[in-house]
Amino acid sequence: MSFFEEDEKFLQENLFISLVTYNRKDYLKRTLDKLLEDSSPLRNVDITILDNASDDGSSELIDEYCLKYSNLVHIKHKINIGGNANITRGFELGATSGKKYFWVLCDDDKYDFENISEVILNMKKEKDVIVICDYCIDYTPDSNIEISDLLLQLTFVPAGIYKSTLMDENIFTNMYDSIYAMFPHLCIPIHAYNTKKDFMLISKPIVFQGLHCENPCKNFSYTRGLDKREITKFHKNVSWTLGFANVITLLNDKALQKKVFQRAVINDDIYGNWKNFYFGPFQ
C-alpha cells in the first residue's frame, strides 16, 4: 500500500465530514469536485450533505453526485432552518457519526491538501482540536500564536477538525441556544479550552475562506434566506460582533474573554462592523 493509500484509508476509517449548503450550486459543485477528485485524500471519506431546502438546482446536483459516489449521503431539509441551525446539525451529525474525528465544511471554500499528513499525524496523537485554516493568523515562523488567536480563527466553520469525544450534552445545548448569535460552533473550542484539552495549529493550512475572498460584496452570511421571515426582534437585530461577544462569555477565564474580544476588534473588519461595536459585556 502506498503512502497516499495509507493516508486515504486512515481518513476513511477515522473522519466524518458534514457539508452544509444552501443555494450555491456553482460553489457546491467546485467543492464536491475538489473533495472527490482522484488526487484527494478525502475522496472515500463519509460525507453527508445537509441541504437547507435549496431551490436553485443544488438539490438535484447533490443527487447526481450521490448516484456516482457511494460515500455521499444527501439530507434535504423540508424548510430552510437557517444557516446557523444547519451548521449546528452538521456538528451534531459529525459528533454522533461513530468516527473518531469530524469536520464540518461549507459549500464555498477552497482547499489545498498538500499538508494533510500533518493533520493525520495530529489525529494519531489524539489531539482534541486541530486548527487547519488560514483566516486571520499570521503564519510566519516567528508568529506568537495564542489561544485568543485560535478562538478567533475558529469562528470560521471549517477551521477545526474535532475529536468526537469532546462533545457532550452541555455543548449541544449551548450550540442550539447560540444559533441566534451566529457562532454556535464556537461552543466546542471554548469547552475544549475550559476543560484543558489539546489544541494544535498545523504549520500550513488546508482550507481557505472562499466566497468572501472572491467577492466581499456578496452575501456570505449564514442568515441568507431568513431576511423576510417573521423572526424575533432580538434575532433580527443581532450583529456578528454582538453574537461573538455573547458566545465567548462561555469562557470561564474572564481575562481571556476580554482578550479574545479585543483580538477580534483590532482585526480588519472581518464582518464589516467590528469597529462600530461599542456595547456589550466588556464595557
Side-chain angles (χ1 to χ4, degrees), residues 74-91:
H74 181 195
I75 297 176
K76 182 176 181 179
H77 303 318
K78 292 183 179 180
I79 59 171
N80 177 359
I81 61 174
N84 294 290
N86 201 25
I87 287 167
T88 301
R89 285 192 172 178
F91 278 92

Side-chain angles (χ1 to χ4, degrees), residues 59-70:
S59 301
E60 292 76 12
L61 176 73
I62 297 166
D63 287 338
E64 291 175 14
Y65 276 80
C66 286
L67 288 174
K68 187 175 179 181
Y69 298 96
S70 61

Side-chain angles (χ1 to χ4, degrees), residues 131-266:
V131 186
I132 56 170
C133 78
D134 182 7
Y135 186 41
C136 56
I137 286 181
D138 179 7
Y139 267 88
T140 57
D142 58 349
S143 299
N144 182 22
I145 305 300
E146 300 182 12
I147 188 64
S148 57
D149 298 299
L150 296 182
L151 290 173
L152 181 59
Q153 189 91 328
L154 289 162
T155 60
F156 176 41
V157 172
I161 293 177
Y162 297 97
K163 197 173 182 183
S164 296
T165 53
L166 269 177
M167 303 294 286
D168 62 20
E169 59 186 13
N170 296 309
I171 293 180
F172 287 130
T173 298
N174 286 337
M175 289 184 72
Y176 277 98
D177 284 347
S178 300
I179 285 171
Y180 81 93
M182 304 189 202
F183 295 103
H185 47 290
L186 267 187
C187 296
I188 305 171
I190 286 174
H191 171 78
Y193 178 80
N194 286 342
T195 54
K196 304 185 186 318
K197 302 299 184 184
D198 289 327
F199 286 72
M200 178 56 64
L201 172 67
I202 65 172
S203 60
K204 183 178 179 181
I206 64 171
V207 61
F208 306 83
Q209 218 281 358
L211 183 54
H212 180 46
C213 296
E214 295 168 9
N215 186 353
C217 297
K218 199 172 180 66
N219 183 354
F220 61 96
S221 77
Y222 298 124
T223 59
R224 292 182 306 121
L226 298 181
D227 316 58
K228 299 178 181 178
R229 290 201 198 173
E230 293 180 3
I231 58 176
T232 65
K233 185 177 181 180
F234 187 70
H235 192 158
K236 187 176 294 186
N237 290 342
V238 74
S239 68
W240 289 100
T241 316
L242 178 58
F244 179 77
N246 274 273
V247 172
I248 62 175
T249 60
L250 288 169
L251 283 165
N252 292 337
D253 184 335
K254 300 301 181 183
L256 182 60
Q257 285 183 23
K258 187 170 184 178
K259 189 169 186 177
V260 171
F261 186 74
Q262 289 173 333
R263 175 65 179 86
V265 168
I266 64 172

